[in-house]
Amino acid sequence: MSVLAKLVKQPLTLYVTSSCPFCNNARKLIAANKVESKINVLDDLPDGGASLRRELINETGQRTVPYVFSYGKLIGGFSELKQQPQAFWEQLPKNKI
């Protein structure tokens, strides 16, 4: 099963690296909007996320992190995420914390 097929039921999923400033900004934006999200840190994976990153590049054509998906659809990176209208944020489930 492809990475994208697994994401269809997830409201908001990110693939990030721990040292990427754009990834950190995306995480802060999500926290500020208080929405549920699944954040996957590529460098925490056994191979440093190399195999998953290759798969993401092959499936999306995007070569940079973060990878931001909403219900299996690629939004893009941090720049595209911050350009989402308020209606986008309002339709996502809120954090239960």
Side-chain angles (χ1 to χ4, degrees):
M1 182 181 288
S2 75
V3 173
L4 299 183
K6 295 175 188 174
L7 300 176
V8 173
K9 294 181 181 178
Q10 297 293 329
L12 195 59
T13 305
L14 276 76
Y15 291 91
V16 301
T17 60
S18 56
S19 62
C20 166
F22 294 104
C23 298
N24 293 331
N25 287 339
R27 292 169 90 164
K28 289 177 188 174
L29 182 59
I30 289 166
N33 281 282
K34 300 177 181 156
V35 296
E36 283 185 30
S37 63
K38 170 83 170 125
I39 298 175
N40 303 283
V41 182
L42 294 170
D43 18 1
D44 288 349
L45 298 174
D47 65 350
S51 58
L52 180 55
R53 195 153 180 190
R54 277 192 301 277
E55 189 175 344
L56 287 163
I57 290 168
N58 288 338
E59 290 192 28
T60 67
Q62 179 175 311
R63 301 183 85 50
T64 58
V65 289
Y67 292 89
V68 182
F69 294 91
S70 182
Y71 295 106
K73 179 179 179 240
L74 178 69
I75 292 174
F78 170 65
S79 297
E80 292 80 13
L81 182 62
K82 74 177 182 178
Q83 293 174 356
Q84 295 302 305
Q86 190 59 35
F88 168 80
W89 297 103
E90 290 171 356
Q91 58 93 25
L92 294 172
K94 298 296 179 198
N95 241 343
K96 294 177 177 111
I97 300 173

